[in-house]
Amino acid sequence: GKGGYDHYMLKEIFEQPEAIRNAIRGRIDKDRGTAILSGLGLSPRELVDFQRLLIVGCGTSLNAGLVGEYAVESFAAMLAEVEQAAEFRYRNPIVGSKDLVIAISQSGETADTLAAVREAIDKGALVAGLVNVVGSTIAREAGRGIYLHAGPEISVASTKAFTCQVSVLLLVALKLARGRRMSRDEGVKITREILGIPALVQQVLEKNDAIAKIANNFIKCEHMFYIGRGYMYPVALEGALKMKEISYIHAEAYNAAELKHGPIALLDGNMPVVALMNRGPGQEKTVGNVEECRARKAPVLGVITEGDEEAKVACDWTIEVPDCPHYIATIVCTVALQLFSYHVARLRGCSIDQPRNLAKSVTVE
Ligand code: M6R
């Protein structure tokens, strides 16, 4: 059942500290500052030999993949790409024996992702699944992979799967990096940060009431913008996807740097902007973009680092999140935005666990 919560979605949001603990359990070697991912079935030699990591998925799993791409590039300095699974399949993908393909899917049954797995296997790539549902088709066909251990996700809107996927992708990035360029000390530091994720998520969950109050200001909206840069760009995408899916508000995500290349024309007093402004690379630039939004009268909800007064004064409302590196903040800020969309949808009286036109797993193309 819903364990006392009004909706499965809220229950699953609150399960995240535990789900992430389960996803990373037994997969961290603290002393050597690396990850243990035996499900990948790759020898140390194979781990350094392949030249490119290709990540495929759809929807929320695709957004998680984007975080994975950034993390692999920045930790391991190796080539990583993420592709929408259907695109991958229909574009005569350049993929072969020098590639590791990771297919991300909560359900393990998504038709487009499964087709991409088959295609990649046909072309001779090493294929691994990052799947939640044990024994699902993608898990079986990939043959190797990492289970999320997030527990069953009932709500159509994916929440804990995303934060577990990102947690495990950080471990993948760490593993690849430690086999290549990353020092043990740096690895140890990152393992500590990853182990700290559940506690940080818990701190965000404690803001639930405050976030519910802020949500009251957004129930009449027809449109919204979400902006972020770097690691915060996939967070903007995921935040906007969740908002569209459960509240039926048209929410668009843009890289903050893209605003002035067109979309800023849409901004006025009726176009609220949700901005990922927490401390980290590119933050000042995003704050600058927020000032441009305010100059066009767009109301701004900023996700900011606790105690960051400078960012706070640039916003109409703020959700404060604990200070952490941006690759960890992808999870922390996403949880804040999950709660935000949940409360907006609840206040609008939407059918949260079963949004119109959607199914939990998309087994047709
Ligand atoms: O089961 P999968 O992870 O393969 O599902 C992929 C998407 O259909 C899924 O993430 C969808 O976007 C969610 N409803 C988003 O909340």
Side-chain angles (χ1 to χ4, degrees):
K2 294 180 199 149
Y5 290 95
D6 288 344
H7 299 94
Y8 281 109
M9 183 181 178
L10 192 62
K11 171 172 180 264
E12 289 159 9
I13 290 173
F14 273 82
E15 278 170 355
Q16 287 177 114
E18 185 61 21
I20 296 167
R21 235 174 262 128
N22 291 336
I24 63 179
R25 175 167 301 131
R27 291 175 169 163
I28 290 184
D29 182 338
K30 269 197 277 186
D31 298 332
R32 294 157 94 188
T34 189
I36 305 160
L37 299 170
S38 34
L40 287 181
L42 297 175
S43 68
R45 169 99 247 149
E46 282 174 308
L47 268 171
V48 287
D49 264 4
F50 73 86
Q51 288 169 356
R52 180 176 65 152
L53 173 67
L54 196 67
I55 301 171
V56 294
C58 303
T60 286
S61 296
L62 178 66
N63 294 337
L66 201 49
V67 179
E69 178 195 308
Y70 291 0
V72 170
E73 282 175 357
S74 74
F75 291 11
M78 65 172 287
L79 191 56
E81 280 174 298
V82 61
E83 282 244 42
Q84 207 286 339
E87 280 292 303
F88 170 80
R89 179 181 176 203
Y90 288 113
R91 272 186 27 212
N92 184 32
I94 314 296
V95 59
S97 59
K98 290 283 182 201
D99 297 310
L100 172 64
V101 175
I102 296 188
I104 308 181
S105 177
Q106 188 287 129
S107 62
E109 303 296 345
T110 299
D112 285 329
T113 311
L114 175 60
V117 164
R118 290 178 176 158
E119 179 83 30
I121 292 175
D122 267 4
K123 297 228 150 129
L126 274 174
V127 180
L130 178 49
V131 171
N132 194 35
V133 177
V134 176
S136 56
T137 313
I138 293 172
R140 280 186 283 114
E141 293 206 13
R144 61 176 86 219
I146 310 166
Y147 279 120
L148 280 187
H149 301 306
E153 193 181 65
I154 311 281
S155 156
V156 166
S158 185
T159 54
K160 61 179 177 170
F162 177 87
T163 51
C164 289
Q165 286 160 350
V166 172
S167 301
V168 172
L169 287 166
L170 292 177
L171 293 179
V172 171
L174 174 64
K175 178 92 195 163
L176 297 176
R178 288 285 288 117
R180 290 176 162 78
R181 56 169 284 279
M182 186 183 277
S183 70
R184 180 197 189 112
D185 282 358
E186 210 178 329
V188 168
K189 180 181 138 269
I190 291 175
T191 57
R192 287 214 189 99
E193 285 163 355
I194 294 174
L195 286 164
I197 295 171
L200 294 175
V201 169
Q202 191 59 47
Q203 290 179 46
V204 179
L205 296 177
E206 281 154 21
K207 311 255 154 118
N208 184 37
D209 292 344
I211 295 172
K213 277 205 193 96
I214 293 172
N216 275 294
N217 300 289
F218 292 82
I219 47 184
K220 296 257 155 63
C221 291
E222 283 173 51
H223 309 277
M224 275 189 203
F225 260 40
Y226 280 68
I227 59 170
R229 288 167 184 260
Y231 277 111
M232 294 301 115
Y233 173 55
V235 175
L237 287 170
E238 176 58 12
L241 174 59
K242 220 92 299 177
M243 185 59 79
K244 287 188 265 250
E245 189 174 25
I246 61 169
S247 77
Y248 315 140
I249 293 173
H250 167 222
E252 282 214 52
Y254 275 98
N255 189 300
E258 272 295 307
L259 267 187
K260 57 179 162 306
H261 297 288
I264 198 164
L266 286 168
L267 294 186
D268 63 14
N270 296 316
M271 181 67 89
V273 175
V274 178
L276 280 310
M277 300 161 74
N278 47 309
R279 280 200 190 110
Q283 188 221 10
E284 308 94 82
K285 295 211 167 132
T286 305
V287 174
N289 296 128
V290 162
E291 281 154 3
E292 290 157 18
C293 297
R294 294 278 298 283
R296 274 114 196 139
K297 309 234 160 24
V300 174
L301 166 60
V303 177
I304 67 167
T305 304
E306 263 158 18
D308 185 349
E309 292 304 323
E310 257 166 78
K312 194 170 189 162
V313 294
C315 306
D316 297 273
W317 309 277
T318 53
I319 301 174
E320 298 196 15
V321 296
D323 200 4
C324 56
H326 262 188
Y327 47 85
I328 303 281
T330 53
I331 294 172
V332 170
C333 295
T334 295
V335 173
L337 295 183
Q338 290 168 350
L339 286 171
F340 176 58
S341 42
Y342 172 80
H343 289 296
V344 172
R346 178 182 58 81
L347 293 161
R348 284 163 69 92
C350 297
S351 160
I352 292 180
D353 287 332
Q354 295 280 324
R356 67 189 183 202
N357 310 340
L358 290 172
K360 183 62 182 161
S361 50
V362 183
T363 53
V364 291
E365 279 189 50

